[in-house]
Amino acid sequence: FFWGTAVATPRALAHAELISATPAPGSSVETLTEIRLVFSEPVGTKNQIELLQDFVAVAELQPVIDPNDGTVLRAAVPPLPDGVYTVQWRITSADGHRISGSYSLGINGTIQSATPWYQTTWAMLGFLLCGVAVLAYVLRRWWSTSAPQRSAKS
């Protein structure tokens, strides 16, 4: 009985996941006319797809659930200039949970993999300085709380 519950529970608690996208994440296309997202389970009615360029929304698309397959979301794309874009999507899964994600694609260009902000030199320096500050704070607190014990021993 317990084994069946343990095995069945993860599937019941799972939410929709993006299985595939057309155009594919990281790809470059000559023209972009439609975005097609396929999920692991049927999607609800509150869905959104935006195209961003340099973190600025350039097109808010009108996604439509494919009438032949409730797991497929399609959105027509207006004409856009060449460049690198981020597809940002938000859906409501069949169980009512909001799920979101994003990926990059290019129009007549190469996609350069951007370094995540937390791996930049400035971020690493910031992490180092924060670590030094925390260490200094802990040492100072330890030193001040142990000072009466050190003077009592002398």
Side-chain angles (χ1 to χ4, degrees), residues 4 9 14 30-31 34 56 59 63 79-80 84 98 104-105 113 122 125-126 128 146:
T9 302
E30 289 184 25
T31 58
E34 181 185 65
V56 176
L80 294 169
V84 177
R98 299 285 287 168
S104 295
L105 60 86
S113 59
W122 289 108
L125 182 59
L128 178 64
S146 65

Side-chain angles (χ1 to χ4, degrees), residues 10-35:
R11 182 76 175 146
L13 295 177
H15 302 301
E17 294 178 20
L18 182 66
I19 293 176
S20 67
T22 306
S27 65
S28 182
V29 294
E30 289 184 25
T31 58
L32 181 61
T33 57
E34 181 185 65
I35 292 177

Side-chain angles (χ1 to χ4, degrees), residues 9 11 19-20 25 43 47 61 67 92 100-101 103 116 118 131 140 144:
T9 302
R11 182 76 175 146
I19 293 176
S20 67
V43 296
N47 305 307
L61 310 180
T92 303
S100 62
Y103 68 91
Y118 54 86
R140 181 178 173 149
S144 65

